[in-house]
Amino acid sequence: MIGLISATAAGAAARDRLAAAWPERTRVYEGPVKDAVRRAFAECEQLVCFLATGAVVRLLAPLLADKAADPGVVCVDEGGRFAVSLVGGHGGGANELAREVGDLLGAEPVVTTATDAVGLPGLDMLGFPVEGDVAGVSRAMLDGAAVALKAEVAWPLPPLRAGAEGAYTIRLTDRLVEPAEREVVLRPPSLVVGVGASKGAPADEVLGLIERTLADAGLSPASLAELATVDAKAGEPGIVEAAARLGVPLVTHSAEELAAVEVPNPSDAPLTAVGTPSVAEAAALVRGGELLVPKRKSERADGRPAMATCAVVRRPGRGRLAVVGLGPGARDLLTPRAKAELERASVLVGLDQYVDQIRDLLRPGTRILESGLGAEEERARTAVAEARKGQAVALIGSGDAGVYAMASPALAEASDDIDVIGVPGVTAALAAAAILGAPLGHDHVSISLSDLHTPWEVIERRVRAAAEADIVVTFYNPRSRGRDWQLPKALAILAEHREPTTPVGVVRNASRPDESARLTALGALDPATVDMMTVVTVGNTATRDIAGRMVTPRGYRWQEAASTSGSAAGPRQGDGR
């Protein structure tokens, strides 16, 4: 919960905007400010104070105890110009909260945490349990000192400005080790414990077995990702409570799935009871991995038969490939999700001119693999190969990466051994449409006129189908120096079904500094004025030039109503669907 505190009318107005936007996340604290801050500090995970930073510092000083437990605090000034991350930037989430508040209120987020300020990921913000000299190793990274990354487990990480050797060390391991001097130990969630249990098995017996097994194998419980068992045991109280006390999810699988897993120690007992010859080993191995500890039984002090079994598997981290659409070019049309993926990637793959657009958004240490025009398939193969090495990879494309861009060749190369995340972007067609007016208000289609990958006969058939179906058409790749006849041919096909006065929008370099746009007609467009940086949108029979804007009505009923009423202003307002 986020506590909201204000002292003035202006602060209350901004406070109420947050409360209205985040009704489930926030709680307004009224009354004297000192009392409100004290109550919110005790009751909330985060605070937003619409007060001067000096005042908040004095109010918080006697309340601060431990940065690992204190709430994150953000201050917003009286004018609503700045959202300052004051306390708990990492541990309390104040840095991210300052950005969220800034986005909502139009304030500039102020983050002074050293790693955030220079674009380095905080070691305590990677989503893993972390132990050791976090401050010392972070300072070494900031100072440019040699820091070694020792990854005993393959796991996708953001760029950490670390190499093979160094006086400081970042160790990625699931082993039960104590951090050495000048060392940080990161605990990836790499361990899966498969669990079997008889009906009524006590939680203490299940939990004790798991803890002893991990300790005897020299494995850290901080790297435990999940407990796994058979569906029939999904509600077994001892297993359910053990997972809750360990703070990990309980994942279940069908007996059929588990019976298909080859294990070293099958047994008739679980086959009879739940329909699979193995529960513990099979549940741990069903999603792949290395069996570190074969089936092990619990031990009971009274000498009675064991009621629980477990096995431990290490699952390597899956490589991560984010296919990122950069939008049409303008920085403010690059989505926040795309920015986050660019910051997360340790490897960036892309066309050199696209890399130049976003180079400043990359974290220090990001490995950049760039190439020139015409190497799309090579870039796709490179990105997938890097992800298969366990890297966090971003493959970039302009507009939306799934529209005439890199998503298709990348997914054609990728198999199910890596995670693939698609990040949508604003397409050239949408950017051009917004400049032209509303040409895509009804059914529309995008067609590339490049016959580099598609035979012209196929392209022509698609253009003809769109023409006959009276669909608005956006042409990508309309004309180049060596390919100058396709656009005239496509326009001629459309002209067989549409009047010469049909509106046509021509937008070059949409959203970029040298953007240009004009509205012409099908019979008047000179193809020689179009190049590869241009998007051409041809209206349907209902598209109109209204006040210099290209508009396609949302429905033919509205079009008829407008013509009947004689109104040139267009149809009535719709229902918002």
Side-chain angles (χ1 to χ4, degrees):
M1 186 63 66
I2 303 171
L4 306 179
I5 301 106
S6 63
T8 66
R15 175 203 69 191
D16 291 344
R17 286 177 61 192
L18 277 190
W22 300 338
E24 304 299 324
R25 297 177 61 190
T26 57
R27 179 186 303 159
V28 173
Y29 283 80
E30 304 279 7
V33 169
K34 183 176 182 179
D35 294 339
V37 169
R38 184 183 296 109
R39 285 186 288 120
F41 193 91
E43 296 170 0
C44 298
E45 292 81 22
Q46 295 175 319
L47 280 69
V48 178
C49 299
F50 297 86
L51 306 164
T53 54
V56 178
V57 167
R58 294 180 185 280
L59 292 169
L60 290 179
L63 306 177
L64 297 175
D66 180 356
K67 72 174 187 177
D70 289 340
V73 180
V74 170
C75 284
V76 178
D77 65 287
E78 184 76 4
R81 296 170 301 165
F82 303 104
V84 183
S85 173
L86 188 66
V87 172
H90 281 173
N95 291 351
E96 182 57 32
L97 180 60
R99 297 184 182 99
E100 287 187 85
V101 171
D103 286 343
L104 187 59
L105 299 181
E108 180 71 22
V110 179
V111 176
T112 57
T113 307
T115 50
D116 291 70
V118 299
L120 285 172
L123 294 174
D124 53 350
M125 294 296 289
L126 298 178
F128 308 145
V130 58
E131 305 166 15
D133 187 10
V134 176
V137 175
S138 297
R139 192 179 309 112
M141 293 167 61
L142 290 166
D143 292 342
V147 177
L149 175 61
K150 297 182 178 179
E152 299 174 12
V153 180
W155 212 267
L157 294 171
L160 292 174
R161 199 185 271 178
E165 302 292 336
Y168 295 82
T169 304
I170 300 170
R171 185 175 180 183
L172 185 71
T173 182
D174 54 20
R175 293 286 175 186
L176 192 59
V177 296
E178 290 295 325
E181 186 178 358
R182 296 183 174 183
E183 182 177 71
V184 163
V185 174
L186 299 176
R187 304 288 189 188
S190 56
L191 302 178
V192 176
V193 173
V195 180
S198 303
K199 184 177 181 180
D204 287 342
E205 183 173 345
V206 177
L207 184 60
L209 171 63
I210 294 169
E211 291 176 337
R212 285 192 303 274
T213 299
L214 292 173
D216 291 348
L219 299 170
S220 172
S223 283
L224 184 58
E226 65 187 47
L227 297 190
T229 191
V230 67
D231 284 348
K233 296 295 179 180
E236 185 63 44
I239 297 178
V240 172
E241 185 177 340
R245 287 161 67 176
L246 288 166
V248 297
L250 175 62
V251 178
T252 65
H253 307 279
S254 70
E256 290 76 16
E257 284 183 282
L258 300 188
V261 178
E262 186 175 342
V263 298
N265 300 292
S267 171
D268 291 336
L271 180 60
T272 301
V274 293
T276 172
S278 172
V279 173
E281 289 178 340
L285 284 166
V286 68
R287 296 291 179 255
E290 175 190 2
L291 184 62
L292 301 180
V293 182
K295 182 174 68 174
R296 180 172 173 176
K297 296 181 179 181
S298 57
E299 298 176 1
R300 307 191 71 181
D302 58 9
R304 297 176 65 184
M307 298 187 72
T309 59
C310 78
V312 186
V313 162
R314 175 184 290 134
R315 290 183 190 166
R318 290 166 60 88
R320 190 176 193 278
L321 173 60
V323 187
V324 181
L326 300 180
R331 179 58 60 86
D332 60 355
L333 292 180
L334 178 68
T335 67
R337 186 179 300 180
K339 291 180 183 178
E341 289 294 346
L342 295 175
E343 292 179 351
R344 179 172 183 165
S346 59
V347 180
L348 181 88
V349 181
L351 179 67
D352 48 13
Q353 64 190 48
Y354 297 153
V355 172
D356 289 341
Q357 290 180 24
I358 47 82
R359 197 182 297 271
D360 62 303
L361 297 177
L362 304 177
R363 292 190 186 275
T366 304
R367 186 155 55 95
I368 300 173
L369 305 175
E370 54 187 315
S371 53
L373 286 168
E376 288 86 357
E377 293 181 357
E378 177 188 344
R379 284 195 290 276
R381 286 193 293 269
T382 297
V384 171
E386 290 293 330
R388 285 185 175 136
K389 296 175 185 177
Q391 301 282 358
V393 182
L395 174 63
I396 59 173
S398 68
D400 184 287
V403 179
Y404 304 122
M406 293 306 302
S408 293
L411 269 63
E413 290 285 334
S415 52
D416 62 359
D417 57 344
I418 62 173
D419 293 327
V420 179
I421 296 90
V423 181
V426 178
T427 69
L430 295 179
I435 294 165
L436 294 170
L440 308 183
H442 206 284
D443 298 336
H444 55 275
V445 64
S446 295
I447 299 177
S448 171
L449 294 183
S450 171
D451 55 2
L452 181 62
H453 298 290
T454 306
W456 173 252
E457 293 77 13
V458 175
I459 297 172
E460 181 174 335
R461 188 164 68 246
R462 292 170 180 172
V463 174
R464 195 170 299 281
E468 293 173 353
D470 196 27
I471 295 176
V472 176
V473 182
T474 298
F475 288 123
Y476 279 73
N477 306 312
R479 184 177 181 274
S480 66
R481 290 179 182 177
R483 190 174 44 75
D484 59 1
W485 58 268
Q486 287 90 340
L487 179 59
K489 176 65 174 175
L491 294 175
I493 294 171
L494 291 174
E496 296 173 9
H497 300 270
R498 301 179 195 184
E499 296 295 330
T501 56
T502 299
V504 176
V506 181
V507 180
R508 188 177 190 278
N509 283 331
S511 87
R512 301 190 182 192
D514 56 346
E515 168 190 297
S516 64
R518 58 195 171 92
L519 189 57
T520 182
L522 182 57
L525 175 62
D526 179 4
T529 62
V530 173
D531 62 13
M532 285 288 285
M533 306 304 293
T534 306
V535 172
V536 177
T537 302
V538 182
N540 65 13
T541 57
T543 305
R544 296 289 182 267
D545 177 346
I546 301 177
R549 302 182 184 92
M550 187 176 178
V551 180
T552 302
R554 284 182 55 190
Y556 290 98
R557 287 180 299 169
W558 291 358
Q559 179 188 356
E560 292 167 2
S563 61
T564 300
S565 66
S567 170
R572 63 177 173 82
Q573 292 294 315
D575 59 8
R577 288 181 293 178

